[in-house]
Amino acid sequence: MVSRVIPVETFDLVIFGATGDLARRKILPGLFRRFRAGQMTPESRVIGAARTEMDAAAFRAQTRAAIEDFVDPAQRQAETVEAFLSRLDYVAIDARGTAGWAALGALMRPGVVRAFYFSVAPGLFGDLAERLHRNGIADTDSRIVVEKPFGRDLASARALNATLAAHFDERQIYRIDHYLGKETVQNLMAVRFANMLFEPLWNAQHVDHVQITVAETVGVGGRGGYYDKSGAMRDMVQNHMMQLLCLIAMEPPYHFDPAAVRDEKLKVIRALDPVDPADIVRGQYLAGAGQPGYLADVENPASRSESYVALKVHVSNWRWKGTPFYLRTGKRLRARASEIAITFKEPPHSIFDDVQGWRENVLVIRLQPNEGINLMVMIKEPGPGGMRLTQVPLDMSFAKALGAEAEIADAYERLIMDVIRGNQTLFMRGDEVEAAWAWTDPIIQGWEDRGDRPQPYDPGTSGPEDALMLMHRDGRRWREIRE
Ligand code: BG6
């Protein structure tokens, strides 16, 4: 099955922070892939803007290197790369001063979509927004794209929202959570709302519990400075995992559009109970397998930030009252594996005498790697000798089902195309982000007030022992973390 590619409108995209890591690893290679796929019109242009003094030729050379580093060789034929690079321009700009702004203004063309990607520290958002207006570069149709972290608590998120709102309407602001750009995350909505099979059972009457796991094998690497100020709760739970939870728990939106989807997600966040401290386990990875431990990675021997967190969350509404959601995420774990598992309840009555083989139905949505869906169902064990039950998977790998052509686009490239299309459905609205912080803040504050310390765990494991207990004491078990 070959996916349909519908070109987006012609655009001028300015990337502030164009020499930074995100631009190099994700934004520029992603734009190249969209160009190659025919989604970016040949007239569209990408303008790098950063403090570094260099000319367009040097920026093109940097971008060529980024494409070589981050795009599969089979996807980067030399002439396509050159054609893409010819759409690139560069302006050296002073975000807090005046240099470069007139030059940027002169590059912008009338009559095409204007988008500005703020791939810079949040402290510069206000300066950029203000200068874009003062220099007549942004208009009422322009879009801005901003990255996480969107604040580090409710107060700072509110301040950031206010800064942006002083210059742009909410309909112009695209807050990226790259998890919403992942193919399988969007599939979660297709599975729920384009099938009759699951939705009637998608509630506390039929679902025993939900597990959401985002496990990584990497450590904090070179990002220790940022990460240590965040910890897993701010880095992963407040945003990515919260978004996954919302997509699982939300009511069916009346339409797949920005207002409807985001209204429903917001209701879920507001329905979250405060988390009992006994329902959270934090961990920090130790050294092992020739790799440094967390404390050495962040160069702070006294750090109390967590590289792992597991928690039990309750959504207090009619649909979910009584069905716990267990969330866990961590670094340096046994495998890179992200999945959502919906475990259904037992049938009300068994007609079989021998129920030894009985296991619950589980719907597993694998986010990465090996994207796909797996439904564990009960069947009869083959052969004579009576009715014995066994569990088998109805296993669908998207790569197999959709064919090798189903190249799964990276989250960023898909989201940038949505910005150009003017579709905010997969971006976070300001009120959602604030609601998520309002729920997260007391948890983090509680740790600080109590002087809570994360538990050490060995790398290559499933995390701290106590995380197992979080489920055992409810008579449940975490699924094994494996690729
Ligand atoms: C980022 C976090 O937002 O998401 C990282 O800051 C994390 O710490 C990453 O590693 C995970 O993203 P992915 O797409 O690799 O699952």
Side-chain angles (χ1 to χ4, degrees), residues 8-11 13 113 115 143 415-422:
V8 294
E9 273 180 76
T10 294
F11 60 83
L13 169 68
V113 172
R143 290 136 213 192
L415 291 173
I416 295 171
M417 292 299 110
D418 278 357
V419 173
I420 307 300
R421 285 194 198 95

Side-chain angles (χ1 to χ4, degrees), residues 4 24 40 50 65 81 189 240 265 316 347 403 432 475 477:
R4 275 179 298 152
R24 196 175 72 84
M40 175 175 160
V81 175
M189 284 182 280
H240 307 323
K265 287 196 293 165
S316 271
E432 258 183 273
R477 269 194 304 165

Side-chain angles (χ1 to χ4, degrees), residues 148 178-179 182 216 223 235-236 240 331 336 368:
K148 70 166 266 243
H178 80 280
Y179 265 60
K182 287 185 190 274
E216 300 183 281
R223 299 165 71 226
D235 185 53
M236 296 293 291
H240 307 323
K331 300 210 183 276
R336 174 170 184 259
Q368 59 192 31

Side-chain angles (χ1 to χ4, degrees), residues 47-70:
I47 301 157
R51 208 168 23 190
T52 316
E53 289 291 342
M54 66 173 152
D55 59 12
F59 180 59
R60 289 185 188 134
Q62 275 196 3
T63 306
R64 184 183 292 110
I67 292 171
E68 276 161 15
D69 287 347
F70 296 102

Side-chain angles (χ1 to χ4, degrees), residues 164-179:
L164 295 180
H167 304 281
F168 292 95
D169 288 345
E170 183 62 33
R171 68 180 167 79
Q172 299 179 279
I173 305 171
Y174 290 73
R175 295 176 195 78
I176 286 205
D177 183 312
H178 80 280
Y179 265 60

Side-chain angles (χ1 to χ4, degrees), residues 275-312:
V275 180
D276 183 336
D279 287 342
I280 311 190
V281 177
R282 302 164 74 214
Q284 232 179 34
Y285 58 83
L286 294 164
Q291 306 272 13
Y294 179 84
L295 297 176
D297 269 345
V298 300
E299 295 177 18
N300 174 7
S303 170
R304 290 183 177 180
S305 299
E306 72 286 351
S307 60
Y308 174 100
V309 64
L311 63 163
K312 177 161 78 165

